[in-house]
Amino acid sequence: MNEARTSLTQLDDDVVGAPRLTGYAHGGGCACKIPPGELEDAVRGLMGQPGADVLVGLDSGDDAAAVLVREDLAVLSTADFFTPVVDDAYDWGRIAAANALSDIYAMGGTPIMAVNLVGWPREVLPTELMTEVLRGGLSIAAEAGCPVIGGHSIDDPEPKYGMAVTGVAHPDRLLRNDAAQPGLPITLTKPLGVGLLNNRHKRTGEVFPEAVATMTALNRDAAEAAVAAGVRAATDVTGFGLLGHLYKMCRASGVGAVIELTSVPVIEGARESLREGFVSGGTRRNLDWVLPQLRFGPGVTDDDLLLLADAQTSGGLLVVGEVPGHPVVGHTVVGDGIEIR
């Protein structure tokens, strides 16, 4: 058997009759991100090349970079890729593309072009599977009206896929993670819990169509509604969980937040998976990182905190303001930290 194949934590392909992609990676989806604390330590002091035309750089850890190219036009740039989060190659491609595009939507922008980023164990997995991954990515990009023009690939011990995306936005209508004001509602546009279901899928092979549907849903409509409503602060909820991304936004904006547990939407099956222990290491690291910033009463359980820290893949937008059709899960306050009640 190929040495690269045996070096990975792999499930028995013969049981299902086809390679289980999640078995060829040490982590899955956005749960395989470098932990937020480690990442911040690594990039601390690396501010790139700031200039008068850089509207959004590294300072606040926002979702995409934004550069002013003319008075009424900002160009946005982002890149996102990860290891398989589901076993179906086509669905993995769709999820990864939706996740990459989400960074543009989280800034209030419109994606205009993407390039593929691929790592593939070419001596282990057939190229036909890679084709399916790319086909899935193309289908979501087509739905977004974003042409995919080429890309870059490498021979990699672990399969990886994602996109680098270029977008545009009006500079006066950017959604930023450092623009939150106190006294405003906080809206969440997708339910939490896909990280738990993805981890369960990786370990058991169970398939959760609702989780796939959630992860492949574009954040386009929610972003457009937020911009139309005059919202100025937003981010998307991905690998650092709701608590991690909310904390980053609060810290960058100099505000605090209150989260109402009973208002937070949760995908079906997530709480059961939590009780049964399908918690990723990424989720636990998220909670460890943000725990010093939390305040909560005696009714808040460890499971509640883990759910709020669940490492999402292609999650929804976290918007400071109301977005019609989506639940308000809390509000911003004067001060700092996050209260959960």
Side-chain angles (χ1 to χ4, degrees):
M1 184 176 288
N2 186 289
E3 182 179 347
R5 188 182 183 97
T6 57
S7 68
L8 299 170
T9 305
Q10 177 189 351
L11 301 175
D12 187 352
D13 295 347
D14 294 334
V15 174
V16 293
R20 287 203 57 205
L21 285 174
T22 56
Y24 289 84
H26 73 285
C30 290
C32 66
K33 278 187 173 182
I34 294 174
E38 290 182 25
L39 184 60
E40 289 191 345
D41 287 343
V43 302
R44 185 171 288 115
L46 304 178
M47 304 312 293
Q49 299 181 27
D53 294 333
V54 177
L55 301 178
V56 180
L58 285 173
D59 308 59
S60 64
D62 217 326
D63 296 291
V67 176
L68 186 70
V69 295
R70 66 173 192 244
E71 193 172 289
D72 63 343
L73 182 67
V75 171
L76 313 178
S77 182
T78 186
D80 210 313
F81 62 95
F82 47 65
T83 53
V85 67
V86 293
D87 290 324
D88 185 279
Y90 180 75
D91 282 345
W92 174 34
R94 294 166 67 217
I95 292 165
N99 183 73
L101 291 163
S102 181
D103 283 344
I104 300 297
Y105 295 132
M107 300 289 292
T110 300
I112 59 169
M113 182 186 74
V115 293
N116 286 316
L117 303 172
V118 183
W120 200 256
R122 46 183 292 276
E123 295 184 1
V124 178
L125 292 173
T127 55
E128 290 83 1
L129 273 182
M130 184 176 72
T131 300
E132 279 297 285
V133 175
L134 295 172
R135 191 170 70 88
L138 283 173
S139 73
I140 290 295
E143 182 182 340
C146 177
V148 181
I149 307 171
H152 183 67
S153 62
I154 60 169
D155 190 347
D156 192 327
E158 286 186 315
K160 301 178 180 73
Y161 175 63
M163 290 177 170
V165 187
T166 302
V168 294
H170 193 290
D172 295 336
R173 294 194 287 271
L174 281 174
L175 303 180
R176 305 171 58 127
N177 76 346
D178 63 355
Q181 297 293 322
L184 294 175
I186 298 173
T187 301
L188 180 63
T189 67
K190 286 186 185 182
L192 299 184
V194 295
L196 288 156
L197 296 184
N198 289 341
N199 200 34
R200 184 169 188 155
H201 172 69
K202 177 178 173 63
R203 288 164 59 180
T204 71
E206 295 174 80
V207 177
F208 299 95
E210 186 179 351
V212 173
T214 295
M215 290 184 287
T216 55
L218 293 173
N219 282 324
R220 174 184 55 197
D221 293 348
E224 290 176 355
V227 171
V231 167
R232 290 294 174 262
T235 188
D236 61 350
V237 181
T238 55
F240 301 154
L242 183 148
L243 289 178
H245 290 284
L246 176 59
Y247 168 57
K248 287 182 66 178
M249 183 158 59
C250 287
R251 183 181 60 182
S253 301
V255 300
V258 174
I259 293 295
E260 303 286 351
L261 270 175
T262 57
S263 300
V264 177
V266 179
I267 196 167
E268 184 178 355
R271 293 189 187 278
E272 176 188 356
S273 298
L274 178 58
R275 289 192 299 268
E276 294 179 9
F278 293 100
V279 180
S280 70
T283 292
R284 296 189 187 279
R285 289 189 292 271
N286 289 342
L287 184 55
D288 288 343
W289 179 62
V290 78
L291 195 59
Q293 317 303 326
L294 303 183
R295 301 184 299 273
F296 45 87
V300 178
T301 67
D302 290 345
D303 278 359
D304 292 330
L305 297 178
L306 285 168
L307 185 57
L308 293 176
D310 187 41
Q312 304 300 280
T313 296
S314 191
L317 299 184
L318 189 64
V319 179
V320 179
E322 290 197 51
V323 180
H326 300 282
V328 170
V329 299
H331 59 276
T332 53
V333 296
V334 174
D336 56 18
I338 301 169
E339 180 184 353
I340 302 169
R341 61 190 190 193

